[in-house]
Amino acid sequence: MRKKVIAGNWKMNKTPSETKALIEELIPLVKNTDDTVIVCPTAACLAAATETANGTNIKVGAQNMFYEESGAFTGEISADMLLDLGVEYVILGHSERRQYFAETDETVNLKVLKAFEKGLLPIICVGESLEQREQGITNDLVRMQTKIALKGVSSENAKKAIIAYEPIWAIGTGKTATTEQAQEVCKAIRDCVCEIYGKDVADVITIQYGGSVKAANSKELFEAGDIDGGLVGGASLKAADFEGIVNYK
Ligand code: PGA
């Protein structure tokens, strides 16, 4: 049985003091889950997050990272900086970064390789726009995004990767994919991983769904065979909402 992984993507919300307050509120609410709980605040709040979450079952992830080791890359954050802060996960290739910050499949791949080289676990986001869905190219597109993101990644590392299927039309819109739609694409991603690495990797890799996940739909989504948890945006910003998703059982 794969463990569920439920991650909150806070995006550009919460100050360091609000980060501390939200994590303090979450600690007693999520402490009894057997699943993996991750919060991903913005870079400026990572120190507050790791300090507050230290010694609890809440893990901390970043929302981005650069693929170079160090140097003249103004504004960027390296893997070593994240590790030094106690960060364990990093979201890579979120559609907002692809849309607003020129992230490409190729840069996502470089970042995935760097994350694994350093021992950070990537949450790799893939997903189609409404136009692409209507054209009928969803599965082709997410397969391509998955293959390029994992290019050069060893089987051992691929087993530890998290892929988040996030249809762009469902992000922040309140319009969740149906469980059937989410399951179909998560299965297509798992089949693609199976083609690349074989069944032993496909059986253990974590594939999340993201896009307007809330307490009311999390149980049905997470109980679908190929959906191993969720990447949650809006509903991760309030302890009561996120707790309802984490404790979906
Ligand atoms: P949402 O965001 O839950 O607010 O739709 C999900 C995401 O972008 O990761």
Side-chain angles (χ1 to χ4, degrees):
M1 250 317 255
R2 290 181 298 270
K3 214 169 160 173
K4 305 287 180 201
V5 179
I6 298 156
N9 173 11
W10 293 4
K11 309 192 179 182
M12 198 175 74
N13 294 293
K14 306 287 175 191
T15 61
S17 46
E18 288 167 347
T19 296
K20 184 171 183 287
L22 178 51
I23 295 175
E24 277 169 353
E25 215 182 330
L26 274 175
I27 290 169
L29 301 175
V30 303
K31 70 172 197 292
N32 292 325
T33 182
D34 308 328
D35 295 325
T36 302
V37 182
I38 309 168
V39 294
C40 305
T42 190
C45 300
L46 288 170
T50 53
E51 272 164 38
T52 314
N54 189 24
T56 76
N57 65 329
I58 299 176
K59 315 270 188 200
V60 177
Q63 297 175 11
N64 183 34
M65 178 203 92
F66 197 43
Y67 52 78
E68 291 290 353
E69 192 64 32
S70 64
F73 304 104
T74 303
E76 290 296 327
I77 299 158
S78 74
D80 285 337
M81 293 170 193
L82 297 180
L83 289 166
D84 195 81
L85 284 169
V87 170
E88 293 175 71
Y89 296 84
V90 59
I91 299 173
L92 296 174
H94 190 280
S95 60
E96 286 151 17
R97 296 214 56 87
R98 294 178 191 255
Q99 184 182 348
Y100 302 121
F101 304 100
E103 193 83 88
T104 65
D105 289 333
E106 287 69 28
T107 58
V108 172
N109 175 241
L110 292 172
K111 292 177 178 192
V112 168
L113 292 170
K114 187 50 117 183
F116 276 127
E117 179 197 321
K118 295 290 181 171
L120 282 162
L121 297 178
I123 301 175
I124 304 162
C125 301
V126 298
E128 83 288 4
S129 65
L130 189 57
E131 197 186 356
Q132 289 161 332
R133 172 161 286 269
E134 284 169 352
Q135 266 183 288
I137 59 170
T138 297
N139 288 2
D140 297 325
L141 182 90
V142 298
R143 282 172 55 87
M144 185 182 79
Q145 290 174 325
T146 302
K147 282 192 175 179
I148 299 175
L150 292 174
K151 190 171 154 225
V153 172
S154 69
S155 301
E156 278 321 297
N157 282 335
K159 285 181 182 168
K160 296 182 275 185
I162 299 171
I163 298 178
Y165 166 55
E166 297 208 306
I168 297 168
W169 48 272
I171 295 177
T173 57
K175 208 172 153 192
T176 318
T178 64
T179 303
E180 292 68 35
Q181 287 171 326
Q183 161 61 23
E184 187 202 329
V185 183
C186 288
K187 180 169 187 310
I189 295 169
R190 200 175 301 284
D191 289 346
C192 174
V193 170
C194 189
E195 284 166 31
I196 309 169
Y197 295 103
K199 198 171 175 309
D200 59 328
V201 175
D203 281 348
V204 298
I205 195 168
T206 301
I207 303 178
Q208 298 174 314
Y209 166 77
S212 300
V213 174
K214 38 189 177 274
N217 57 31
S218 55
K219 183 173 163 67
E220 190 184 319
L221 283 164
F222 299 171
E223 284 180 350
D226 287 288
I227 304 177
D228 307 322
L231 182 56
V232 185
S236 68
L237 295 173
K238 284 199 189 122
D241 294 342
F242 194 53
E243 175 267 334
I245 297 168
V246 170
N247 298 315
Y248 70 95
K249 285 174 195 146

